Structure formats: structure tokens, C-alpha cells
Amino acid sequence: MMNSFPNTAAASQYRQTQVLTASGVQLIVLLYDSAIQAIELASDGITRRHQSDKARFLGRAVGIVSELSSVLDLERGGEIAKSLYRLYDYMLSEFTQANLRNDARHLVGPLRCLKELREAWYTVAQQQNQPMSSSRG
């Protein structure tokens, strides 16, 4: 029977290579993926009443969303950047409530938002990877 657990050293090396070779947009998608995974694992930790998992994965989600928020250029980004800032602020507030109240329901909204944002950025990344079509006259 095969071992169902990936070699953590190999998985870590793969992730590092993926990050080092990614474009800026692809990095954002990877950050969203990591935040989504962290929230799902934190929710599971809350449901199982496993405090260390809850704390570790909520901490990871807070770190990622905080970083996404901190790199927003509110002057050049206009209304989109301001809306993202408010959305990230909402998520951070919900993470705090989920932690304080041990209530995974506070993670539902942020998870939904992150999944939608991830899909939008993924679409942008896919469009960037499309070869330019040449116009023929």
C-alpha cells in the first residue's frame, strides 16, 4: 500500500519552486490558496475543539490577509484598492470573532470572499498566460 502522506521535504521544495517562478498575479493566487486552506483547517480545528490547530491556522490566515492588505496602494489603486482594504478588514475582524467565540460560522463569509477573489485573480493569471493573437490584414 502506498503512503498517502506526501514527502514533506519534496512538497516544500515544490512549493518553493512554484513561488520563485510565479508572476505577481500568480503569487496572489497562491496567497489566496494558502489563506483558503488555512481557514478551512482553522474551521476544522474549531469544530474538533482542537485549540492548537485553530490558533495555528487562524494565525496563518491573519498573516496572509494582513500582508495582502498592507501591500495595497490606496492612491494608485483607487476604489478597487479601497474596497479590497475594507474587505480584508472585515475578514480580519471575523477571524478575531471566530477565535474569541470558538465559532466557525465567523469564517464562512471570509472563506466565500477569498474564494471569489481567488477565482477573479486566477482568471487574470490565465489571461496573462494566453499568447497574443496576431492581427492579420
Side-chain angles (χ1 to χ4, degrees):
M1 177 184 265
M2 280 184 65
N3 184 355
S4 62
F5 294 97
N7 179 328
T8 54
S12 177
Q13 183 64 39
Y14 173 77
R15 177 63 94 188
Q16 183 178 11
T17 301
Q18 192 177 22
V19 168
L20 291 175
T21 60
S23 71
V25 172
Q26 291 168 329
L27 284 174
I28 292 170
V29 172
L30 290 173
L31 286 170
Y32 282 129
D33 286 342
S34 294
I36 289 165
Q37 180 186 38
I39 292 169
E40 290 171 342
L41 291 169
S43 180
D44 182 60
I46 291 170
T47 302
R48 291 183 299 108
R49 298 189 187 283
H50 197 276
Q51 295 299 314
S52 63
D53 279 355
K54 175 191 84 165
R56 179 177 50 201
F57 295 118
L58 273 178
R60 188 174 297 166
V62 166
I64 293 167
V65 172
S66 294
E67 184 63 24
L68 287 166
S69 180
S70 74
V71 299
L72 289 172
D73 187 337
L74 298 176
E75 289 180 22
R76 290 182 24 205
E79 279 306 309
I80 292 174
K82 290 175 186 166
S83 293
L84 283 170
Y85 182 84
R86 287 190 297 270
L87 196 55
Y88 293 149
D89 190 51
Y90 153 75
M91 289 181 208
L92 292 170
S93 175
E94 288 297 288
F95 295 160
T96 300
Q97 290 304 310
N99 186 40
L100 292 174
R101 300 175 191 271
N102 276 322
D103 188 348
R105 290 176 295 183
H106 286 280
L107 301 177
V108 172
L111 184 60
R112 184 178 60 244
C113 292
L114 285 167
K115 285 181 176 182
E116 288 181 24
L117 288 167
R118 188 252 182 229
E119 287 309 307
W121 281 101
Y122 179 78
T123 300
V124 171
Q126 292 300 106
Q127 290 170 350
Q128 284 185 347
N129 289 335
Q130 298 272 327
M132 297 293 286
S133 61
S134 60
S135 62
R136 295 184 180 165

